[in-house]
Amino acid sequence: SSGFYNYPEFYVAASGERIRGRLAWMPRYFGQSTAWYAQVDGNRPLRGRFYAIAHAGALHQAPSDFYGYTAHGPWRYDAALGIGVARAGFDLQVSWTTTNSEPEDPCVPWQCGARSAWVLRLSRGW
């Protein structure tokens, strides 16, 4: 059943003008074991309406034999770097996002294969 993958998430977060941090706890991550996720996001103004964005995250999952995770270890990392532009209430971002292909192995964009991708995001605030 698809309800098997539903899970609650509890988190605390702190935010400043240019940087945000968040720590989340999931007691039944994707119907498996307990997991923690920590992330830091930031942005920096560039020229005009342009700005740089960065993200780093780490997921720690308690041992579980579901999907064979115990064979790979409990850590996963993700990161993203990009650029955005804001205009007339719209926000357009393009970023390179990546995650380690094997938990415990740090990943750099040119070594991650299918676990890396360009992401294009358009949002509108009101």
Side-chain angles (χ1 to χ4, degrees):
S1 153
S2 63
F4 179 76
Y5 296 106
N6 295 340
Y7 59 89
E9 177 178 299
F10 305 94
Y11 67 90
V12 294
S15 182
E17 186 175 340
R18 301 278 172 232
I19 193 164
R20 294 173 299 284
R22 184 171 164 262
L23 178 63
W25 174 65
M26 291 113 354
R28 221 174 38 255
Y29 184 60
F30 283 109
Q32 300 170 43
S33 58
T34 299
W36 289 87
Y37 182 70
Q39 72 181 74
V40 175
D41 299 289
N43 65 66
R44 177 170 171 73
L46 297 173
R47 187 170 283 196
R49 299 179 187 270
F50 289 90
Y51 59 94
I53 56 175
H55 164 85
L59 174 75
H60 180 271
Q61 187 172 355
S64 166
D65 60 2
F66 201 74
Y67 292 132
Y69 280 132
T70 54
H72 297 297
W75 287 95
R76 287 199 180 271
Y77 305 98
D78 64 283
L81 289 174
I83 192 164
V85 61
R87 182 163 174 95
F90 287 91
D91 195 28
L92 178 65
Q93 296 179 353
V94 62
S95 62
W96 178 257
T97 185
T98 187
T99 184
N100 57 324
S101 56
E102 290 293 327
E104 303 295 327
D105 294 336
C107 181
V108 292
W110 55 89
Q111 294 178 340
C112 297
R115 297 212 179 257
S116 299
W118 286 100
V119 175
L120 181 65
R121 178 171 49 195
L122 176 64
S123 61
R124 170 83 162 102
W126 50 78

